[in-house]
Amino acid sequence: EKDLLDNPMDFYIDGNYSKELFINHKLDIMESSNELATYTINFELEKKDGKWKLKKLDDETLEKIHGIYNYEQT
């Protein structure tokens, strides 16, 4: 996010902001990183009709799964 604020024109193509270009930049940074974080993720289940079903995941849990959770803000 800091790169976008500091150098917004790096993410423009033909005068238009490119979200894809920014996402690819973020993925490149993530790929080159060797930092690790450990999270505890609690999955909630409910039993319906005799079968266990996973409850809908909240945004924080999805961010942890996708590796984009900002643990420094918690």
Side-chain angles (χ1 to χ4, degrees), residues 42-48 51-55:
N42 296 312
F43 294 97
E44 293 184 34
L45 303 169
E46 60 185 343
K47 198 170 192 178
K48 283 189 177 179
K51 294 183 179 182
W52 288 102
K53 304 258 182 176
L54 181 64
K55 284 188 166 184

Side-chain angles (χ1 to χ4, degrees), residues 4 10 12-13 19 26-27 36-37 42-43 49 60 65:
L4 180 59
D10 289 350
Y12 277 71
I13 299 174
K19 186 174 184 177
K26 286 174 62 171
L27 289 172
L36 297 175
N42 296 312
F43 294 97
D49 301 323
E60 183 176 298
I65 291 170

Side-chain angles (χ1 to χ4, degrees), residues 2-27:
K2 184 175 180 339
D3 289 344
L4 180 59
L5 290 173
D6 292 345
N7 303 300
M9 296 312 293
D10 289 350
F11 306 102
Y12 277 71
I13 299 174
D14 297 327
N16 297 309
Y17 171 72
S18 171
K19 186 174 184 177
E20 183 178 352
L21 194 60
F22 179 63
I23 289 172
N24 287 337
H25 174 71
K26 286 174 62 171
L27 289 172

Side-chain angles (χ1 to χ4, degrees), residues 24-66:
N24 287 337
H25 174 71
K26 286 174 62 171
L27 289 172
D28 288 344
I29 291 171
M30 289 171 66
E31 188 175 324
S32 67
S33 175
N34 60 0
E35 295 178 37
L36 297 175
T38 302
Y39 304 113
T40 299
I41 300 176
N42 296 312
F43 294 97
E44 293 184 34
L45 303 169
E46 60 185 343
K47 198 170 192 178
K48 283 189 177 179
D49 301 323
K51 294 183 179 182
W52 288 102
K53 304 258 182 176
L54 181 64
K55 284 188 166 184
K56 183 177 180 182
L57 302 177
D58 61 21
D59 289 341
E60 183 176 298
T61 301
L62 290 172
E63 289 175 358
K64 288 177 180 179
I65 291 170
H66 293 290

